[in-house]
Amino acid sequence: MLGLSDNIRGALLMMGAMCAYTFNDAFMKALADEIPLFQAIFVRGVGAVVFLAFMCKLLGQLQFHFPQREWGYVLLRTTGEVGGTFFFLTALFNMPIANVAAILQVLPLSVSLVAALVLGEALGWRRLTAIFVGFVGVLLIIQPGGADFSIFSLYALGAVACVTLRDIAVRRMSRDVPSVFVALVAAIAVTGLGAVGSLFVQWQPMSLTAGFQLAGAMAFLIFGYIASVSAMRFGEIGFVAPFRYTSLLVALVLGVVFFDEWPNMLALIGGVIVVATGLFTLYRETQLRKSPGQNA
């Protein structure tokens, strides 16, 4: 990345991270007809735990002596990670990948709303209106009462709630807590979820294809984590963050090409609304950082 500005580096890394996460999702979805959900979570998780433990050791981040308050935030974040994984993958196994990805794009809005309610962060009428419009977009994607509605749409919303909890916990966490160590704790907990859930399902033998798919999911998940962490260390968050919406475009393409899934028109309109309001929210945050006295 020689010759590139920090903002461009951050944007490219964020795009790479979102592509990697979405390919991970596609590999996991492809396993749905062959491997039970909890078996897939456990097998993928073992590889992630081993890699993250190695990274922690290599970077000197395998530390345990934190104040009780910080451990509380680490455990709260981990709870959100575990719940988000369960709800998200359950929805992904049973819904079009683009629909799930579109619902997840509401995260910048939900985090802003909860940060205002719980952390007391400023939230003016413009961003509050954007949040309301964004949630209208989510209703267009979910279409409650419509022919395409299913209980799994609510699972996707459950994933949004859990990931919002995770991100709020991170906001409260001290920067002295190593990020890779936090990821390792979460990976251990998610793998534990897979292990416990696996006790109540019939394990299925994995074909060579399924093995490659799980290996691909694991590799993309690890790359996505590293790239997303690196992205936030380059450039300005207001410039880098909007590139997370790359995942929706990639999910649309993968859904059409590999799963023969195409969201209906209302879902597409809802996705556009959610992305537009999310971009506006990020724009307002950037403006407020430049001029703290403005009304949000």
Side-chain angles (χ1 to χ4, degrees), residues 26-272:
F27 275 121
M28 292 296 286
K29 184 175 178 63
L31 291 165
D33 294 332
E34 187 171 345
I35 305 293
L37 171 63
F38 288 113
Q39 180 182 347
I41 291 175
F42 176 73
V43 175
R44 185 190 68 171
V46 169
V49 167
V50 170
F51 179 84
L52 288 171
F54 174 76
M55 287 292 294
C56 271
K57 185 69 174 175
L58 190 66
L59 298 173
Q61 295 190 7
L62 204 58
Q63 305 171 21
F64 299 91
H65 302 294
F66 305 119
Q68 187 175 358
R69 174 180 179 274
E70 299 304 328
W71 271 113
Y73 289 131
V74 170
L75 294 177
L76 187 62
R77 183 199 180 280
T78 299
T79 300
E81 188 79 55
V82 171
T85 298
F86 170 72
F87 285 119
F88 176 78
L89 289 180
T90 300
L92 185 67
F93 272 39
N94 296 277
M95 285 176 62
I97 186 172
N99 286 41
V100 182
I103 293 172
L104 264 289
Q105 304 312 311
V106 80
L107 275 169
L109 307 177
S110 64
V111 171
S112 294
L113 179 60
V114 175
L117 296 175
V118 177
L119 305 182
E121 295 187 6
L123 185 64
W125 67 268
R126 295 180 183 86
R127 286 197 289 171
L128 194 59
T129 301
I131 288 170
F132 173 76
V133 173
F135 284 118
V136 171
V138 171
L139 289 177
L140 291 176
I141 300 168
I142 295 174
Q143 297 166 40
D148 293 332
F149 175 77
S150 75
I151 188 65
F152 299 108
S153 298
L154 301 182
Y155 276 76
L157 283 179
V160 169
C162 289
V163 176
T164 300
L165 172 67
R166 182 196 72 185
D167 288 353
I168 291 297
V170 170
R171 286 198 181 198
R172 301 291 301 212
M173 194 183 301
S174 169
R175 293 186 179 182
D176 294 333
V177 182
S179 57
V180 179
F181 177 79
V182 173
L184 174 61
V185 173
I188 291 172
V190 170
T191 305
L193 168 71
V196 173
S198 295
L199 298 176
F200 302 96
V201 298
Q202 182 67 43
W203 274 55
Q204 299 298 320
M206 285 194 296
S207 65
L208 187 61
T209 299
F212 278 121
Q213 288 170 336
L214 265 178
M218 191 185 309
F220 278 114
L221 183 66
I222 292 169
F223 176 82
Y225 173 74
I226 295 173
S228 62
V229 171
S230 300
M232 302 314 294
R233 291 178 176 171
F234 287 100
E236 302 169 2
I237 188 171
F239 184 90
V240 173
F243 288 90
R244 68 178 292 118
Y245 293 116
T246 303
S247 62
L248 182 55
L249 177 61
V250 176
L252 278 168
V253 173
L254 292 178
V256 172
V257 174
F258 293 104
F259 302 106
D260 195 26
E261 298 171 347
W262 184 256
N264 61 33
M265 186 55 66
L266 278 179
L268 287 173
I269 293 172
V272 171

